[in-house]
Amino acid sequence: HADAIHDASLKAALAVGTKDARLLYQAGLIAAAVGDRATARRHLDESLRVNASSEVAGEARRERRRLRP
Protein backbone atom coordinates (compact mmCIF):
# COMPACT_ATOMS: atom_id res chain seq x y z
CA HIS A 1 0.00 0.00 0.00
CA ALA A 2 2.77 2.46 0.90
CA ASP A 3 4.60 1.61 -2.33
CA ALA A 4 1.48 2.37 -4.38
CA ILE A 5 1.08 5.74 -2.65
CA HIS A 6 4.78 6.52 -3.18
CA ASP A 7 4.54 5.53 -6.86
CA ALA A 8 1.43 7.66 -7.39
CA SER A 9 3.07 10.65 -5.69
CA LEU A 10 6.19 10.22 -7.79
CA LYS A 11 4.17 10.05 -11.02
CA ALA A 12 2.20 13.14 -10.03
CA ALA A 13 5.35 15.12 -9.26
CA LEU A 14 6.95 14.11 -12.56
CA ALA A 15 3.77 14.94 -14.47
CA VAL A 16 3.90 18.57 -13.35
CA GLY A 17 7.53 18.87 -14.37
CA THR A 18 9.24 18.71 -11.01
CA LYS A 19 12.97 19.23 -11.46
CA ASP A 20 14.43 17.66 -8.34
CA ALA A 21 17.56 15.52 -8.71
CA ARG A 22 16.61 13.13 -5.90
CA LEU A 23 13.08 12.65 -7.22
CA LEU A 24 14.35 11.98 -10.74
CA TYR A 25 16.91 9.54 -9.35
CA GLN A 26 14.17 7.68 -7.49
CA ALA A 27 12.06 7.61 -10.65
CA GLY A 28 15.03 6.08 -12.45
CA LEU A 29 15.40 3.37 -9.83
CA ILE A 30 11.71 2.54 -9.99
CA ALA A 31 11.77 2.34 -13.79
CA ALA A 32 14.84 0.08 -13.64
CA ALA A 33 13.18 -2.14 -11.05
CA VAL A 34 10.22 -2.77 -13.34
CA GLY A 35 12.46 -3.42 -16.33
CA ASP A 36 11.96 -0.13 -18.20
CA ARG A 37 15.64 0.55 -18.87
CA ALA A 38 15.09 3.38 -21.38
CA THR A 39 12.92 5.36 -18.97
CA ALA A 40 15.35 4.63 -16.14
CA ARG A 41 18.25 6.02 -18.18
CA ARG A 42 16.22 9.09 -19.11
CA HIS A 43 15.34 9.88 -15.48
CA LEU A 44 18.90 9.26 -14.27
CA ASP A 45 20.32 11.49 -17.02
CA GLU A 46 17.85 14.23 -16.12
CA SER A 47 18.74 13.88 -12.44
CA LEU A 48 22.37 14.53 -13.31
CA ARG A 49 21.48 17.45 -15.61
CA VAL A 50 19.42 19.08 -12.86
CA ASN A 51 22.18 18.80 -10.26
CA ALA A 52 25.40 16.96 -11.09
CA SER A 53 26.65 17.37 -7.52
CA SER A 54 23.50 16.36 -5.61
CA GLU A 55 23.64 13.87 -2.76
CA VAL A 56 22.48 11.15 -5.17
CA ALA A 57 24.72 12.07 -8.13
CA GLY A 58 27.33 9.38 -7.48
CA GLU A 59 24.68 6.69 -7.15
CA ALA A 60 22.89 8.03 -10.25
CA ARG A 61 26.12 7.75 -12.25
CA ARG A 62 26.74 4.19 -11.05
CA GLU A 63 23.19 3.12 -11.89
CA ARG A 64 23.38 4.86 -15.26
CA ARG A 65 26.59 2.95 -16.12
CA ARG A 66 24.89 -0.29 -15.10
CA LEU A 67 22.01 0.47 -17.46
CA ARG A 68 24.10 1.17 -20.56
CA PRO A 69 22.37 -0.08 -23.69
Side-chain angles (χ1 to χ4, degrees):
H1 179 69
D3 287 341
I5 292 170
H6 182 268
D7 190 44
S9 298
L10 182 64
K11 285 180 182 178
L14 292 172
V16 297
T18 299
K19 296 296 181 193
D20 177 88
R22 185 183 254 321
L23 180 69
L24 289 160
Y25 166 72
Q26 291 295 325
L29 293 183
I30 291 168
V34 298
D36 188 349
R37 295 171 66 90
T39 299
R41 287 190 299 266
R42 189 176 73 246
H43 287 313
L44 293 167
D45 288 344
E46 184 67 13
S47 172
L48 292 167
R49 273 192 291 277
V50 168
N51 186 349
S53 60
S54 73
E55 68 277 2
V56 297
E59 292 139 10
R61 285 185 189 91
R62 280 189 290 281
E63 184 67 13
R64 183 60 182 87
R65 282 191 299 271
R66 191 183 74 75
L67 293 170
R68 282 186 191 142

